[in-house]
Amino acid sequence: MEAKLDKFDKKILYELDKDSSISLQELSKRIGRTKQFIHFRIKKLESEGIIEGYNAIVDMSKLGYFTFRLYFYFQNFLNTDEKEFVDFLKKDLSQVWTITRMHGKWDYAIFIGVKTITEFHEVWDAIMLNYKEKIKKYNVSLYSPIFNFNRKIFLEKTGEVIQRRYGDGEKENLDEFDIKLIHAYAVNVRQSYLELANKFKVSHDKIKERITKLEKKQVIVGYTIGLNLTKLGFQGYRVDLELNSTKKNKEIFHYCLRHKYIYQVNKSIGGANFEIEVIVRDLNHLNELIEELKNAFKDIINDVEYFGFSTFYLLKFIPD
C-alpha cells in the first residue's frame, strides 16, 4: 500500500537523501519547522518502513578493492536451488557484497570486492565448480566508476543535484582505527560522535577529526538513505543503452544528471555502452522515459534493454 506523504515528509526525504548525516538543527532551518516536528516526522517515516537506514557511501577503491559485477541466467533452477545458491554465496564467499534477484534478461546480479585478480579467480572458480551445469549464460564486468545522484522524485521541481563519484580512486593509507570507524559509522551515520567515542573509548574530537579526514580524502563520498521505493509507489530498473557512437556521452550524462527519475550512471568494462539506474511508477512510465531518451539522442542510441530488481538477499556497504 502506497504511503501518503505531505510536503514536509517529501522535503525531509529530499534533504536526507542529499545528506543523511545532516543535523536536526540544519534540517529544521531548511524545512522551516521545529526540531521536535522534524524528529517526529523522521521517526514516523522510519516506523512506516519508508526510511530503512542512513548510510555512508564508501569508495571501496580507496580501501584497495576492485568491484566486479557478475550476471547469471540459470536453467532448470528450482526454488530450493535458489535458497542453496544464496546460502552458498553468503556463507562460503566473504568477497560477495551484494546478491540481487532480478527479472528480465538476468536472474541474479552479484557484486564482489577483491584486492587481487587471484582473489577474483578464487570466487569465480568456486561458483563454476558448484553451479556451472545450471548456468545458461553469464556476464562479468569491472564495475567502476559509479556516479550516484540524490534522488529527485520527492519534489515537483528538480532542485539541487548532488553528485557522488566512487569506485576508481587510488588506495589511501588508512590505519586500523580508520577501518574500524568506517565499519561502525557507515551503517548508521545519524549516530552521534559521542556515541562513537564511547564505543571506541576515545575522545569526541578524535572521532570528528577522523571522519573529517575520511570525507576530505573522499573515502566517504556522501551520505544517503535506504529507501523502500514500493511504499512510495515506485520501482527501480536498470536501463542499458547501446550506442552508435560515444561522441555525445557527456551530453547524455548531463541529461541524466538533471533528470527527475534517473539517479545513477554506471561505467563498466564488459557491460553496456551506457548504463543508468532509474526510479519509475510502473512499466508504462519506464517506457515513456526510454522513449524520451531515444528521442533526445535518436542519432546516438541504437538499442535499449532494461531489467528490474525484485529482491536483495545481501546488501553490504562495506566488507565484513
Side-chain angles (χ1 to χ4, degrees), residues 3 9 35 141 233 249 257 261 318:
D9 294 322
K35 288 196 294 183
S141 59
N249 275 22
L257 179 67
Y261 299 104
I318 50 177

Side-chain angles (χ1 to χ4, degrees), residues 35-161:
K35 288 196 294 183
Q36 291 79 6
F37 176 89
I38 302 296
H39 178 74
F40 173 79
R41 286 301 184 95
I42 288 175
K43 289 301 177 186
K44 182 171 174 285
L45 291 166
E46 290 173 356
S47 66
E48 291 176 347
I50 294 168
I51 295 178
E52 298 181 325
Y54 307 92
N55 308 106
I57 301 174
V58 179
D59 186 347
M60 297 308 298
S61 64
K62 298 287 182 81
L63 276 65
Y65 288 91
F66 296 97
T67 305
F68 285 89
R69 182 183 64 202
L70 317 177
Y71 284 142
F72 292 106
Y73 185 79
F74 285 92
Q75 56 191 357
N76 304 318
F77 208 63
L78 307 175
N79 289 339
T80 51
D81 295 322
E82 177 175 66
K83 184 180 184 308
E84 181 188 287
F85 178 61
V86 171
D87 287 344
F88 161 72
L89 294 174
K90 283 183 177 180
K91 293 175 183 176
D92 294 5
L93 299 176
S94 62
Q95 300 92 337
V96 174
W97 292 350
T98 302
I99 306 167
T100 308
R101 187 71 165 93
M102 309 177 76
H103 51 86
K105 183 178 179 181
W106 302 103
D107 291 327
Y108 295 91
I110 299 163
F111 294 80
I112 66 171
V114 296
K115 291 188 173 182
T116 65
I117 296 301
T118 299
E119 196 178 0
F120 169 82
H121 280 293
E122 288 171 2
V123 176
W124 182 253
D125 291 348
I127 293 172
M128 288 296 110
L129 180 64
N130 286 275
Y131 291 97
K132 178 67 176 71
E133 70 277 7
K134 290 189 177 291
I135 296 171
K136 187 171 184 178
K137 59 180 179 177
Y138 61 81
N139 173 270
V140 179
S141 59
L142 184 62
Y143 188 68
S144 77
I146 309 305
F147 300 89
N148 175 269
F149 321 131
N150 59 303
R151 288 165 282 199
K152 304 174 281 289
I153 58 173
F154 311 109
L155 305 181
E156 290 303 316
K157 294 182 180 178
T158 301
E160 184 184 6
V161 179

Side-chain angles (χ1 to χ4, degrees), residues 184-212:
Y185 180 57
V187 294
N188 178 17
V189 301
R190 293 198 68 76
Q191 61 188 306
S192 70
Y193 289 176
L194 184 59
E195 288 176 87
L196 289 165
N198 290 335
K199 190 179 294 183
F200 287 105
K201 296 180 171 50
V202 297
S203 70
H204 171 281
D205 288 345
K206 180 172 181 177
I207 296 294
K208 183 178 180 181
E209 175 198 335
R210 289 302 182 98
I211 290 175
T212 301

